[in-house]
Amino acid sequence: MNPTLSRENVIKYILLAAASFSVFIIFLIFIYLFQKSIPAFQELGWSILSREYSPASDRYGLGGAIAGSLLVTAGALTISYPLGIGGGIFLSEIAPVWVRRMLKPIIEVLAGIPSVIYGFLGAVLLVPFAYNAFDMLQGQSYFAGGIILGVMTLPIIISISDDSLKAVPRDVKDASLALGATRWTTTKKITFPAASSGIFAAATLGVGKAIGETMAVLMIISATTNAPMPWFDFFQAGPTLTALIAGHMGESAPGVARSALFAAGVFLFLIVGTLAIITDIMQQRVIKKFRGR
Amino acid sequence: MAETFTGHGDSLMWEKNRNKIGKAAIAIIALTMLTTAFAGCLEGDDTTTVKIQGSSTVFPIADRCAEIFNQEHDDIQVQVGAPPVGSGGGIDMLGQGQVHIGDASRAIKQSERDEYPDVDFTDNPVAADGVAVVVSMEVYEAGVEGLTSEEVKQIYDRTVTNWQAFGGPDMDIAVYEREEGSGTRDTFMEAIYGDDDLTTNATAAYTSNAEVQSAVGEADNGIGYVGLGYVDDTSTPAVKLDDVEPTEDTIKDGSYPINRQLHMYTDGEPSGAVKTFIDFVKSDRGQEIVADEGFIPLY
C-alpha cells in the first residue's frame, strides 16, 4: 500500500500534465513567433511602427495595422461588454425562469456560429446598410467591422457571465437580502464581485476573439494596406494585423517580408497579453474590495 | 464536506486493478505506435501528382481543367491549390520546388529569375486576357462611359475624389484595388502607373477578381479593375480606356492598353505528367474551358 501512488495522486499528475502541456504549447508558439520575427525587428528597427506597409517598395510598417486592430476591437468591445455583461446579469438575476430557459440555449447556439458566417452576413447586409444609412464613402470600414465583431463576441460574454453569476451560492445572496439589501444592491455589491473572476475571464475571451478575428474582418473591411487619414478615422477602411497576415502570407518573400508578418503576430500576442494582464489586475482589485482587506 | 473515502481503501482497489490498467495502457500505446508506423505506407500508390498554385485569375482555368483531366486520367492527379496565393506566390513556390506549375497572370520579373538562379522558368502561355476598368452601374448610367489612363491614375491616387469631375454623379469615389502580389494588380499598375511596385491610395483592397467585382457592383460610387471574364454588364460595366472598349478583339490586336497573357510556368520544358496536363490545357477542350471562363483562347 504505497500512499504516494494512490489513485488520487495519479489523477492529479495526469491533470497537471495536461494543464502544463497546454501552457507549454502556448509558450512554444510564442517563442517560435518571436524568434521568426527577430530579423524584421533587427532590420527595420523603429520603422516597423510606421504606417506604410508595401512589400513591393520594401516598406513593412505595421503601425497602420496595429491602430486598425485596436480601433476595430475597441468598437467591438463597446458593443459586447455593456450588452454582454448586462445581458448576463439580466439572464441570471432578473429574468423569469421561463425566459431564461428559452434564451439560454439560443444564445449558446449563437456563440457557436462560425465567424465566416458573420463575415458573410456583414459583407452582404451590414456594409451596404452602413454605406446608405451613414452617408459613408463606402460601407467597408472599421465601423462595420467593429459592429460585426461586437455581435460575434456578444453571445459568449453573455453566456459565460451568466454561468459565473449563477454559480454564486444561493445562501450568499439570501443572506444579503435578509439583511435588507435590495435585489439590485445585492447584485451589484455581492453577486457580481463574487462572480467577477468568471466575468473578467469572459471579458478576456471577448477581447481575444475580437482582435484575432480574421475571416470576418477580411470580408467586411477588405485586405487593404492603406492606412486611413487621420489614423483614428473609424469610418474608413484600413489594415488590421489579422487581415494583413492572412492577405500577405501566401506570397511573402522569405526574409524580411515574412519576418514582418511574424512580427505582426507578435504584436497581436502582445496586445492580447497586455489586455489580459489589465483585466486580471482589475479583477484582483474587485476581489480585494469584496473581501474587505 | 465529509471525506467520502479513505486513502487506504482506495490504494487497495488500485492495487487489485493495477495489472488490468497497466495492460490496457500498454495495449493502447502499442496500437498508437503501430498505426503511426504504417502511416507512411499511404503514399505508395501508382499515381503521379501534379501540384499547381498561383494566380487567382488563372485559378478557374486550372481548377476546371484539372477536374476534367483527373476524371479522364487514372494515373495522374492534378491538384490545384486553393485558395490561390497570387501570381507572385505561385512563382515563388515554383522557385522553391513546392509545386510543378506556377500560375501567373503577368510575366515573370527578372528579379524573380535572379532569386532562383537554379530554376529554369519556362513560360507556357495558355490564354489571353485583358484587365477591364469597371464602375458601378449607377456611375455608368450617369454618363461615365470612358476614362483616360491619366484620369484613372488620378482616381487611384485620389487627387480627384468626386465622380462629378468626370461627368458622373456628385458622389465621392470608392476606389477598389487588388492586393500586392496579384498579377492582375501588377498588370494594371504597369499600364496605368508604368511601374508595378508603386502604391495607390485606394480605399479598399481585395484578394480576388470576384471580390472586387462584387464590391464595385454593390456600391453605387465604385471603381475597380478585374479580368475581362469578370465584367458584368448589368452591375459592373467596363468603361472605355483611352477610347478603346475592352473586347476580345481589341485585346488580341493590342489596341486595348491593358492586356496580358495568362501563364503556366514550369521548371524547364514540361515533361511527363506535367506536359500531359499542359497539352490538355492547350488542346481544343482546354481552350474551350478557357473561353467558358471568360478568357481569350490562344490556340
Side-chain angles (χ1 to χ4, degrees), chain A residues 31-43:
Chain A
I31 298 280
Y32 182 76
L33 263 188
F34 197 68
Q35 204 184 33
K36 284 274 169 175
S37 70
I38 289 184
F41 284 111
Q42 272 176 339
E43 254 198 65

Side-chain angles (χ1 to χ4, degrees), chain A residues 110-257:
Chain A
L110 280 177
I113 292 184
S115 57
V116 70
I117 297 198
Y118 282 103
F120 183 62
L121 286 177
V124 164
L125 294 178
L126 184 62
V127 164
F129 171 75
Y131 169 69
N132 287 315
F134 299 100
D135 200 25
M136 300 165 74
L137 167 67
Q138 55 183 28
Q140 292 86 345
S141 56
Y142 291 133
F143 172 67
I147 291 184
I148 287 293
L149 287 187
V151 170
M152 201 188 302
T153 50
L154 199 53
I156 292 191
I157 297 189
I158 293 181
S159 187
I160 299 183
S161 303
D162 169 65
D163 283 338
S164 313
L165 287 161
K166 262 289 182 261
V168 175
R170 225 163 138 202
D171 28 356
V172 174
K173 291 190 263 193
D174 286 347
S176 167
L177 291 170
L179 285 172
T182 61
R183 284 178 60 194
W184 174 244
T185 310
T186 306
T187 305
K188 180 172 144 192
K189 301 228 159 175
I190 306 289
T191 320
F192 186 83
S196 65
S197 68
I199 295 183
F200 279 105
T204 310
L205 259 176
V207 161
K209 191 157 187 220
I211 209 167
E213 181 47 47
T214 308
M215 207 57 221
V217 157
L218 263 179
M219 293 167 94
I220 296 175
I221 306 183
S222 92
T224 185
T225 49
N226 296 335
M229 290 277 236
W231 69 266
F232 49 81
D233 191 345
F234 195 51
F235 293 93
Q236 287 189 42
T240 51
L241 288 166
T242 46
L244 201 82
I245 297 177
H248 289 88
M249 203 38 138
E251 31 81 9
S252 60
V256 189

Side-chain angles (χ1 to χ4, degrees), chain B residues 255-270:
Chain B
S255 51
Y256 182 74
I258 320 183
N259 53 45
R260 59 185 178 169
Q261 288 189 330
L262 301 182
H263 311 264
M264 288 191 170
Y265 282 101
T266 50
D267 185 2
E269 284 294 325

Side-chain angles (χ1 to χ4, degrees), chain A residues 32-114:
Chain A
Y32 182 76
L33 263 188
F34 197 68
Q35 204 184 33
K36 284 274 169 175
S37 70
I38 289 184
F41 284 111
Q42 272 176 339
E43 254 198 65
L44 299 169
W46 283 111
S47 78
I48 208 171
L49 290 178
S50 87
R51 291 177 36 179
E52 254 193 87
Y53 182 86
S54 162
S57 11
D58 267 327
R59 306 252 171 94
Y60 302 100
L62 300 175
I66 296 176
S69 284
L70 289 175
L71 276 174
V72 99
T73 306
L77 297 181
T78 314
I79 296 180
S80 62
Y81 274 179
L83 291 181
I85 298 180
I89 295 178
F90 172 77
L91 220 52
S92 70
E93 305 292 310
I94 305 175
V97 177
W98 66 271
V99 169
R100 181 165 190 270
R101 234 184 258 155
M102 198 179 62
L103 284 182
K104 182 91 172 149
I106 295 179
I107 290 180
E108 300 201 319
V109 166
L110 280 177
I113 292 184

Side-chain angles (χ1 to χ4, degrees), chain B residues 54-273:
Chain B
S55 159
S56 57
T57 306
V58 184
F59 179 77
I61 299 177
D63 197 43
R64 188 100 182 88
C65 283
E67 201 184 315
I68 299 186
F69 183 86
N70 286 337
Q71 280 167 4
E72 298 181 354
H73 289 80
D74 278 333
D75 53 338
I76 308 179
Q77 267 294 311
V78 178
Q79 288 174 359
V80 182
V85 294
S87 303
I91 292 177
D92 259 334
M93 290 178 82
L94 180 66
Q96 288 169 24
Q98 291 169 341
V99 293
H100 302 98
I101 299 178
D103 291 342
S105 59
R106 58 156 171 86
I108 187 175
K109 305 183 206 181
Q110 188 53 45
S111 59
E112 287 169 324
R113 288 195 191 270
D114 293 337
E115 204 179 326
Y116 302 100
D118 298 326
V119 176
D120 176 23
F121 291 98
T122 311
D123 186 9
N124 302 285
V126 296
D129 185 27
V131 177
V133 176
V134 294
V135 296
S136 309
M137 196 63 202
E138 290 81 351
V139 172
Y140 191 83
E141 282 174 346
V144 182
E145 296 185 5
L147 293 166
T148 67
S149 299
E150 185 54 42
E151 288 173 333
V152 174
K153 183 166 188 292
Q154 285 175 340
I155 293 177
Y156 271 83
D157 276 337
R158 301 207 79 203
T159 50
V160 179
T161 55
N162 197 305
W163 277 119
Q164 256 184 344
F166 308 109
D170 178 15
M171 307 186 83
D172 279 335
I173 309 178
V175 188
Y176 297 95
E177 65 173 353
R178 289 290 305 279
E179 87 285 11
E180 285 196 19
S182 152
T184 310
R185 176 200 172 98
D186 288 343
T187 312
F188 173 82
M189 296 298 284
E190 197 62 58
I192 301 288
Y193 279 73
D195 181 358
D196 58 21
D197 274 348
L198 299 174
T199 51
T200 69
N201 287 320
T203 56
Y206 287 99
T207 54
S208 70
N209 283 310
E211 283 175 290
V212 172
Q213 191 274 332
S214 163
V216 174
E218 280 182 23
D220 56 8
N221 59 348
I223 185 173
Y225 52 84
V226 295
L228 188 65
Y230 289 87
V231 174
D232 176 9
D233 292 321
T234 54
S235 65
T236 55
V239 297
K240 292 193 214 162
L241 193 59
D242 296 332
D243 264 335
V244 182
E245 201 177 316
T247 65
E248 210 176 292
D249 297 317
T250 58
I251 290 174
K252 264 191 172 152
D253 67 24
S255 51
Y256 182 74
I258 320 183
N259 53 45
R260 59 185 178 169
Q261 288 189 330
L262 301 182
H263 311 264
M264 288 191 170
Y265 282 101
T266 50
D267 185 2
E269 284 294 325
S271 62

